[in-house]
Structures are given as structure tokens and as C-alpha cells.
Amino acid sequence: MLLVKCTGEILDKEIMQKFAETDHRKQRELERSIQKVTNMQIPEGLPFYFIADEDEGSVTIGALVDRLEDLESGLRRFLSSLNISLSNIEYEEVIIRQFRDMLDDAHSNRFVQNARNICNEYGMEELYDLWGNDYYEKILEDAEERHIISKAEKMYIGNTLVPEIKRIYEGKKIKKAEGHPVHYMIQANDNELKDETINLLYQALYDNKRINSKRMTVVHVEENRGFRRGDMRSKIECFYKAGKGGAVVIDYHGEEEAEGEYASTHRDTIKMLSEIMNKYSNNVLTIYCFPKECTKIKGWYYEYLGDVSMVELKEEFVSGTEARNVLSKKASEHHVRTDKELMAHISDDNKYLLRDLDKDFDLWYRKKLKRTVYPQYQCIETASMKKSTEAPKGTAYEELSKMIGLTNAKKVINQALDYYKAQKVFRDRGIDQDHPSMHMVFTGNPGTAKTTVARLFADIMKDNGILSTGKLVEVGRGDLVGKYVGWTATIVKDRFNDAKGGVLFVDEAYSLVDDRNGMFGDEAINTIVQEMENHRDEVVVIFAGYPDKMEEFLDKNPGLRSRIAFHVSFDDYNVEELCEISKIFADKKGMHFTDEAMERLKEVFLVAIEQPDFGNGRYVRNVIEKARMAQSTRLLSKNIDDITKEDILTFSAEDIELPKVKVEKHFKMGFACA
């Protein structure tokens, strides 16, 4: 259906005075008469007209019609019912958001009684509050055949797009569009190329009267993102209902390598999309978009589309010889000579995308300018070089670097930072890779700094521009599992929303494993797996727990282990590391140990690390706290006047308490003789 904004000037001065009336009673009479005429249209279905606003004789009218041919005659009937005549009438097709804004204005001006009810009558009520990243609409400009083909010939999809545009114009123009003989598939990774292809294709179809509306709806469908699974079908069907006479673009983002239950989910989504498309295929043009070389996704579409005919538009590949010719031609256009570096990666055995060649040339040309045309700039580093050699930023990184031990954790965080630096370099080379999963498992005994490292990791990722907020949301079983059936999934999703832009730290994650299958813990784990995929670009999940118990947790859901990129083991601290940690703890309090006290600490730690419940860093903290209490007792036993500042800031050997060794008891069993 067409959504149109009509504007014009009122001819009758008497009518103008009625709109400007200050008498509330007379003004209300005018409003009621307009509402009456407007309401009479609703049960009849299309077309529908309403007055949105009036300002000093200039009137804005909203129109909802099936065809442009019906617009003017319907507007005349509507205005005649109100005894209004307009001059200088202009028409402008608008998107749903603009149309509903006009309805809201009409409601505010009391020209319609209820804007939402009207949206509901015409199938737009469900879309009334839906906006954001899930879809967008646009109105395309008019274009002529010569202009459209000229632009298409210069694009890297021209070998399939140009013949289709010419085929569109081969047919005779008809006064009223009647169905769609074909629909379209566009396979391209480059978003700019994809969008321009859609625009030119759509302009050609509109110019040849194959579609009625300039309004196009682009729906982003990505499994486990955007629309909730339960209402995806109803929302997408609303787009088709509202898109009658125009087009719906399904921009599908799926994983070609998906396996198992996730491949099945992708298949089900494509089946659902195909069913809706078949239902509305005569009234709405469908343009499917998905990445190039996604043969599995394309195969699923063809499996479910049935008798629908599809025209495929793909990015172009050229041979090695053609690629050299393309690069040579571009060099000639830029008035420079080719060299071995430009042609080095071209092989006769390979095929090349023209867009990739374009990016390769741009990179080579920038170097060429610095080397030969403007050699005085050879010493200036590229932004990529500066970024790749830049040291990690932030106090959190410095704090982590100074921490004792943690070799594995430091290695993983440096790998993550290096990866994102490399992606910047790769993008400059025309290679745009998928965003990797950064989810992690931290395994280690108590006191090995798992929580501290998680907090620092979040801060480091924020300081270096990888995570937006860097906040740490720490949760345990009690924060994820609801009291009643159905609560848990909602709670888990809320915690993920809380952690957007940061880290969700699940401590003692193994506690989610229940004794029996199908309990609340299973629901929590299954929802976590789903939300990890939903928020993979904006939330990093870190699971933490004891090494032996975490294996059972990871085995609980088949998709859990595959979504975790890094397994970081936090080893127990040795005696030397514990002594260094003790010095750091004491230094934070402005204190230090005598040499004898350090020797006593070594004795303490040699015994402690052999105990089954050894607490690593927590144990060190307890030792220091006990030493402070012992020091207080020792100092107070002296003459108060003799206590110096140095005495207060120094731990001595007698302040360090040797641990009590736990001895396992062995009981002998036997029989007593009477």
C-alpha cells in the first residue's frame, strides 16, 4: 500500500476561518465533522484519507491507497465530503514512521479519534512501536533507463545486473502492475555494493511500472539476534502486509558453517521466510540478500520456494589475465606505471573479485605515491603501522602487567589485543573477517585472581576500544536461576542486557549443573548458550570455577564448549610468588617485612601449599591480616613512648604465625576378644 503526504492551500476563506475559530464550541463542531467523514472510510478498507494538520490555510493530508492512479480521485471525494477545495496540491510518498507521525498529529489536533486503532485497521499496528536495528524503510528517487544502466555498468556486479535491467525494459509498460514474474537473490559481501544494486534494480522496476510504490522495507534477519524467535514470523508478515505494491528486502545474516541444531534453526528460519514470501509473492516483490558463496543457504531457499522464479545477481569474478588488465587500466587512469608489486599476487589459476582488485590497487597506489611521486613522505608511517606498534593503553593493563604470575591470562589478553590490531590492518588490505567469539573459561583454585583478572580484562578491552562500557557484571547461580518455571530464561536475558558493552562473569559456573536433567539449571545453561550467540559482538562471557568441576559444566550443553574461544588456567602460586604477593599487599598498606620475617613467610608458605584447602592469594591476605593483629599485640606490650613510626610500619618474624598442619586421621578396624 502507498502512504502519501498531500499538501495544499485552502481556497474557501470561510473554511479557513472555521479552522482558525477561537470559539471552542464551534471549533469542536468542525473537529467532529472531520472525524465523522474520516471514520466512515475505515470499514471500507482502502483508500483512506485524514487531515493531519492545518496552519494558516495550508493543509496536510495523509492518504493510504492501493495505487497512485486512485490517489487524486479519492482525495477529491474526501475533500468534497468536507466541503473543502485545495489548490497547489503536492504529493509525496512517505515511510511508515512519517505516516504514523502524521496520524499522531491528527490525533493531537482531534481530527482523528485514535491513531493506533487506525493503524490496527490497516495492518500497521504491530509496526507502530517497532524501530531500530531490525528494519528500516526508504523512498527511492526516480531514475531513467539510460542513467540506471550507466551506473550498473560501472559496478562490480554488472555482468548479471545489466542484463536483468535491460530485460526489465524489454517488457512493455503497463498502466497497473500485475504480479511479479520473478523475484531476486543478491549475493554480495560488500554492503555498499549490495545497497546500490538494490537501488538500481528497484528504480528500473518502478520506472517500468512493475511496482507501484517507491517505498522499500529492508529487514535484517540474523538468527538469534534482533527479533525474538517467537514473534519473528508475525513481524515479518506485517512488513509484507504493509509493503503491498512495493518490495521487502530480506537481508539474511547466517553462518554458512552452522552445524547440528544451529544449522537446523537456520533452515527453519529460511523455511519460514520462504512460506511468507510465497503467500505474498503476487503483491510484494521480495529481494533476498546473503553473503556470496553461501551455497548451503541458497540451497535451503530453493528447497522451500517452490514454483517461484528467482533471478540471481552476484559479484563478478575475473581470470588472472583479466585481473592484470583491470589493474593496468586503473594505473593508466592514475597516470602511473605498474610494477611487480602490483601484479605479484595475480595468478592465472585463480579468480578475483573486481572489488578486491579495486582495494588492492588503492593500497598499492598510496604506496606508489610515497615512493615515487612524493618521496619526501616515505618516512611517514601509515595509521595501520602506528596502530599495530602502539602499546596497549590504560592503567588496567599496567596493573595486570605488574601482577605476580598469571602467565596464561596475560598471554590470552595480549592475543586478544593483537587480534584486533591485526583486524585493522586486514581491513585496510580489503580483507574484512568475522568478529570472533571472545568468550572464556577461567579455571583455577580459590584465590588465583580469576575475578580480579576478569575485572581488569573488561577495563582493558574498554581502554583499547574493543568493548564500549567495560563494566563487569558478576553473577552466580542465585542471580540466574528463577524460583518458578519460565522465570529463568527472562532473568538470564536481563543479565546479558545489563552486561552489554562489557563482561558477564559467571562465578562457580558449575553450580548451574543440577542433579537431574530438565531442572532450572539446565534452562539457565541453555539460555546462556543462546544469548552468547545473540550478544557475541557486545558481551564477553567468562565462566569461572574449579578445574575438575568445570569439565562437567562444559559437557552439559553441546553448543557451550564450541562457543568458548579461550580456556585460561590459573595455576596455584609457588612460594616465591606468594612472597612477592605478600610484599605487594604490605606495600599497599605502606608496610614492609624484615629479612627474618620474609624467611618466616617462606616457611609458612612451604607448609601451606601442601594443604588441601590452600587459598592462594586469599591465604596471603589472611596471613597479612593476622600479622597486623599480632604486631599490634607485640607493640602494645612495649612502652608506648618507645614505639617509633618505623616499628609501626614493619612486620617482624614474630608477627608471622606458622600454620597448623592438618593431619588425616586413620582409624583401625578390628575385633576385640572377650
Side-chain angles (χ1 to χ4, degrees):
M1 54 191 170
L2 278 68
L3 312 177
V4 184
K5 177 181 178 181
C6 314
T7 55
E9 304 293 330
I10 298 177
L11 290 173
D12 192 331
K13 290 184 178 180
E14 185 177 337
I15 296 295
M16 290 175 61
Q17 290 172 355
K18 285 186 178 181
F19 276 105
E21 182 64 63
T22 56
D23 185 307
H24 293 299
R25 183 181 59 80
K26 292 182 179 179
Q27 184 65 34
R28 193 70 188 107
E29 288 178 2
L30 174 65
E31 292 164 359
R32 280 196 293 266
S33 66
I34 294 174
Q35 288 180 11
K36 181 179 179 181
V37 172
T38 303
N39 290 340
M40 288 175 62
Q41 302 173 91
I42 295 176
E44 299 176 4
L46 295 175
F48 173 73
Y49 298 83
F50 63 93
I51 294 179
D53 198 9
E54 184 278 336
D55 183 24
E56 297 183 354
S58 177
V59 177
T60 301
I61 297 173
L64 195 155
V65 296
D66 233 346
R67 304 176 188 278
L68 282 175
E69 293 82 1
D70 304 329
L71 178 62
E72 292 188 32
S73 58
L75 179 60
R76 282 196 300 270
R77 287 194 297 272
F78 174 68
L79 293 173
S80 176
S81 302
L82 296 170
N83 295 318
I84 296 175
S85 298
L86 298 182
S87 64
N88 302 322
I89 301 176
E90 296 181 355
Y91 304 98
E92 176 190 357
E93 195 169 352
V94 296
I95 61 176
I96 289 176
R97 169 177 274 187
Q98 294 170 305
F99 192 77
R100 73 187 193 189
D101 287 345
M102 291 167 61
L103 276 169
D104 286 339
D105 289 342
H107 178 70
S108 299
N109 293 321
R110 297 198 291 193
F111 296 146
V112 300
Q113 289 176 316
N114 191 306
R116 279 186 174 271
N117 285 350
I118 293 172
C119 280
N120 187 47
E121 285 289 341
Y122 293 98
M124 292 187 293
E125 200 277 333
E126 283 195 68
L127 302 179
Y128 200 88
D129 295 318
L130 181 63
W131 200 258
N133 297 325
D134 295 333
Y135 86 104
Y136 69 89
E137 294 181 290
K138 59 182 178 180
I139 304 293
L140 292 179
E141 297 179 355
D142 289 334
E144 297 178 349
E145 178 180 3
R146 178 173 53 82
H147 169 78
I148 295 170
I149 292 179
S150 175
K151 291 191 71 172
E153 287 175 339
K154 298 174 183 177
M155 293 173 60
Y156 303 126
I157 200 168
N159 64 340
T160 52
L161 178 60
V162 172
E164 175 55 22
I165 290 174
K166 290 181 177 179
R167 184 159 46 196
I168 290 170
Y169 279 100
E170 284 176 5
K172 62 179 181 179
K173 290 186 179 182
I174 54 178
K175 292 183 178 180
K176 296 182 179 181
E178 299 288 348
H180 301 287
V182 297
H183 298 261
Y184 295 92
M185 282 184 176
I186 298 176
Q187 292 180 257
N189 288 350
D190 187 275
N191 288 329
E192 183 180 341
L193 175 67
K194 176 177 62 182
D195 291 344
E196 188 61 24
T197 300
I198 294 169
N199 291 348
L200 293 176
L201 179 66
Y202 201 81
Q203 286 173 330
L205 291 167
Y206 183 82
D207 189 42
N208 203 50
K209 306 295 185 183
R210 288 265 293 274
I211 49 180
N212 293 322
S213 173
K214 295 180 184 179
R215 178 169 60 92
M216 177 198 303
T217 304
V218 181
V219 186
H220 297 292
V221 179
E222 184 169 357
E223 191 56 50
N224 294 325
R225 290 181 62 84
F227 299 107
R228 293 181 182 273
R229 180 73 185 161
D231 64 2
M232 185 187 291
R233 174 185 284 271
S234 65
K235 288 292 188 291
I236 291 178
E237 190 153 0
C238 282
F239 293 128
Y240 273 87
K241 290 177 182 176
K244 183 180 179 182
V248 172
V249 178
I250 302 293
D251 193 4
Y252 188 83
H253 301 268
E255 296 181 7
E256 179 75 350
E257 67 274 12
E259 297 178 359
E261 62 177 303
Y262 298 100
S264 177
T265 303
H266 288 308
R267 177 189 283 267
D268 290 343
T269 300
I270 290 173
K271 180 181 179 182
M272 176 266 293
L273 294 172
S274 302
E275 289 171 350
I276 296 173
M277 182 266 196
N278 270 296
K279 182 177 179 181
Y280 295 92
S281 61
N282 286 332
N283 296 321
V284 182
L285 178 76
T286 297
I287 302 174
Y288 290 119
C289 299
F290 50 91
K292 67 177 188 291
E293 302 304 311
C294 285
T295 54
K296 188 182 295 184
I297 290 174
K298 184 170 74 173
W300 289 335
Y301 273 124
Y302 277 117
E303 183 176 341
Y304 296 115
L305 285 173
D307 295 331
V308 174
S309 298
M310 305 298 299
V311 174
E312 296 182 25
L313 306 174
K314 301 179 182 179
E315 285 188 78
E316 295 180 41
F317 285 92
V318 296
S319 66
T321 301
E322 291 170 323
R324 292 188 190 93
N325 292 336
V326 168
L327 293 173
S328 296
K329 182 179 179 182
K330 289 183 72 67
S332 177
E333 291 171 352
H334 286 74
H335 309 291
V336 293
R337 293 182 178 180
T338 61
D339 56 28
K340 290 182 179 180
E341 182 182 345
L342 178 60
M343 303 295 184
H345 69 286
I346 304 298
S347 168
D348 291 333
D349 298 328
N350 294 330
K351 296 283 187 179
Y352 301 91
L353 281 170
L354 288 176
R355 180 161 292 276
D356 290 340
L357 292 177
D358 201 23
K359 292 176 180 178
D360 290 343
F361 177 83
D362 288 343
L363 177 63
W364 170 82
Y365 183 61
R366 286 194 292 269
K367 292 180 180 179
K368 186 82 170 179
L369 286 176
K370 286 172 62 176
R371 278 199 307 263
T372 61
V373 183
Y374 304 106
Q376 64 268 36
Y377 291 104
Q378 287 191 55
C379 60
I380 305 300
E381 286 185 332
T382 64
S384 297
M385 179 63 72
K386 285 187 176 182
K387 189 68 178 176
S388 64
T389 57
E390 184 182 66
K393 297 181 292 186
T395 56
Y397 186 84
E398 294 174 6
E399 185 178 344
L400 177 66
S401 301
K402 292 176 182 177
M403 290 182 71
I404 305 301
L406 306 176
T407 303
N408 290 330
K410 293 175 182 177
K411 179 182 177 182
V412 166
I413 290 174
N414 280 313
Q415 282 181 340
L417 292 173
D418 287 343
Y419 176 84
Y420 282 97
K421 287 181 185 177
Q423 291 311 297
K424 178 66 172 65
V425 176
F426 297 162
R427 281 194 295 273
D428 291 341
R429 301 296 188 275
I431 303 171
D432 197 1
Q433 298 180 337
D434 292 336
H435 190 293
S437 167
M438 291 296 295
H439 305 310
M440 301 179 178
V441 166
F442 287 1
T443 57
N445 290 320
T448 48
K450 298 186 292 295
T451 304
T452 301
V453 170
R455 175 181 60 78
L456 292 174
F457 172 78
D459 288 339
I460 291 168
M461 295 296 107
K462 177 182 181 295
D463 291 341
N464 289 273
I466 299 169
L467 291 174
S468 59
T469 68
K471 63 181 175 181
L472 179 78
V473 177
E474 185 175 353
V475 296
R477 179 185 172 95
D479 303 301
L480 297 174
V481 174
K483 295 181 180 180
Y484 304 104
V485 174
W487 283 22
T488 297
T490 301
I491 291 172
V492 171
K493 291 176 181 179
D494 288 343
R495 297 294 78 77
F496 269 86
N497 286 328
D498 292 342
K500 275 186 179 179
V503 172
L504 182 66
F505 182 73
V506 186
D507 199 12
E508 298 183 352
Y510 51 80
S511 64
L512 293 171
V513 178
D514 293 317
D515 295 335
R516 290 183 295 145
N517 291 330
M519 302 297 287
F520 292 162
D522 285 355
E523 184 182 2
I525 294 172
N526 294 339
T527 308
I528 287 171
V529 171
Q530 179 183 355
E531 293 300 297
M532 287 169 72
E533 191 65 24
N534 290 357
H535 299 278
R536 64 177 293 169
D537 295 337
E538 52 194 4
V539 177
V540 174
V541 181
I542 299 178
F543 301 103
Y546 303 148
D548 53 341
K549 295 183 178 181
M550 288 302 290
E551 282 301 312
E552 182 183 0
F553 167 72
L554 294 175
D555 289 337
K556 191 64 178 175
N557 184 294
L560 182 55
R561 193 183 295 270
S562 64
R563 277 168 170 70
I564 295 171
F566 299 102
H567 293 250
V568 185
S569 61
F570 287 70
D571 299 330
D572 289 338
Y573 295 109
N574 59 36
V575 172
E576 288 74 19
E577 290 171 336
L578 293 169
C579 289
E580 290 299 316
I581 293 172
S582 300
K583 291 179 182 178
I584 292 172
F585 281 170
D587 185 61
K588 287 181 179 179
K589 300 176 184 298
M591 303 183 70
H592 60 272
F593 297 92
T594 64
D595 292 342
E596 293 78 11
M598 287 305 303
E599 290 300 319
R600 177 65 71 90
L601 275 177
K602 288 181 182 179
E603 293 180 44
V604 170
F605 294 144
L606 279 169
V607 175
I609 60 176
E610 299 298 328
Q611 302 305 303
D613 57 352
F614 173 55
N616 285 285
R618 295 176 193 170
Y619 181 82
V620 174
R621 185 179 291 108
N622 290 336
V623 168
I624 301 299
E625 293 301 323
K626 288 181 179 179
R628 291 189 72 183
M629 290 187 284
Q631 183 213 37
S632 300
T633 301
R634 174 174 60 81
L635 292 177
L636 288 176
S637 66
K638 295 182 177 182
N639 186 330
I640 300 298
D641 294 335
D642 294 336
I643 300 174
T644 66
K645 182 178 180 180
E646 181 64 18
D647 291 334
I648 297 172
L649 299 178
T650 304
F651 288 120
S652 66
E654 58 190 295
D655 299 330
I656 311 300
E657 178 185 348
L658 288 172
K660 295 179 181 179
V661 179
K662 291 185 179 180
V663 180
E664 294 185 8
K665 296 181 179 180
H666 298 280
F667 297 93
K668 293 183 179 180
M669 298 184 63
F671 297 93
C673 297

